[in-house]
Amino acid sequence: MHDIHLYTLLFLIATGFLASFIDAVVGGGGLISIPALLFVGLPPSTAIATNKLASSMGSLTSTISFIRSGKVNFRLVSKLFPITLIGALFGAYIVKHVSSEILKPLVLTLLITVAIYTILKKEWGKDSKYRGMTKTKAVLFALVIFLIGFYDGFFGAGTGAFLLFSFLMIGFDFVQSAGNAKVLNFASNLAALFMFLYLGIVNFSYGIPMGIAMILGAIIGSNFAIKKGVSYVRVLFILVTLFLIGKNIFDYIK
């Protein structure tokens, strides 16, 4: 670990806190934290790997907050956790052999669909209507979750939004969907982190201070979501999804 400049440290703490506050509720914190790590001079692969260390610390914290508040359907999520983990490991392995660029047009299309659907369906996710699933629906849903886990290991941007959207589709309200999504997002973060640690590309000097700031951001962000409720989460979800669309268009044009 090398010495870290005070201003760099303060910058990473501030951006880490803000990223985690947003990420705790609807995901998308990487939109802030990855550019911040690139800005302080880390190469892209190290920035992504270091972000996974910090964001794993944040997502574990918000996962605990949502579980303690009773906003997580543990029976369902405990079965999906290993599926997400395996999907993400597989995705992180494949990305070494195939360029993730091939997914960009598909991701952009999906994000636009998610945003339009959520904006138009105003009453959607207001109340929880989840009453379980049929066997066929459960298998299909498990496959969707595996693919999102794979996507997080392979590409990553917007994973939180896709997970949250999936739980809304089967009848959970916004806050419960956020809680369920956060647990599974932690699983995919963990899988990718294992892969990056194995490859030895994590910068601990930058990742640990940012991660500590993310723990604080996650506590405040998740408690804010639980107290403010469904309408707050819905608005933040739409905003982050629109930001992700903007970023994808910008990257695509560039």
Side-chain angles (χ1 to χ4, degrees), residues 63-157:
T63 293
I64 293 165
S65 296
F66 277 114
I67 290 170
R68 284 174 64 186
S69 71
K71 298 293 180 189
V72 173
N73 185 311
F74 222 70
R75 227 175 119 212
L76 175 63
V77 166
S78 60
K79 289 171 189 161
L80 297 170
F81 193 92
I83 293 170
T84 318
L85 196 74
I86 293 160
L89 275 172
F90 194 52
Y93 176 75
I94 295 288
V95 82
K96 286 166 67 183
H97 307 283
V98 184
S99 171
S100 61
E101 295 296 304
I102 56 165
L103 278 186
K104 278 191 174 173
L106 175 66
V107 172
L108 186 56
T109 310
L110 287 171
L111 284 168
I112 291 167
T113 310
V114 164
I116 292 167
Y117 196 86
T118 312
I119 290 163
L120 293 178
K121 293 200 75 168
K122 288 189 170 62
E123 295 302 303
W124 196 47
K126 211 171 183 180
D127 304 300
S128 189
K129 295 176 176 69
Y130 177 76
R131 298 291 177 267
M133 288 181 278
T134 60
K135 231 175 205 150
T136 312
K137 205 173 173 183
V139 170
L140 280 172
F141 190 70
L143 179 64
V144 167
I145 295 299
F146 174 82
L147 290 171
I148 296 172
F150 174 85
Y151 167 75
D152 195 28
F154 188 71
F155 187 70

Side-chain angles (χ1 to χ4, degrees), residues 3 5 15 27 30 50 90 164 172-173 205 208 221:
D3 290 333
H5 196 281
T15 50
T50 304
F90 194 52
L164 197 151
F172 285 98
D173 69 37
S205 308
I208 290 171

Side-chain angles (χ1 to χ4, degrees), residues 93 96 192-202:
Y93 176 75
K96 286 166 67 183
L193 178 61
F194 285 149
M195 189 60 76
F196 290 134
L197 287 169
Y198 170 73
L199 295 169
I201 53 170
V202 177

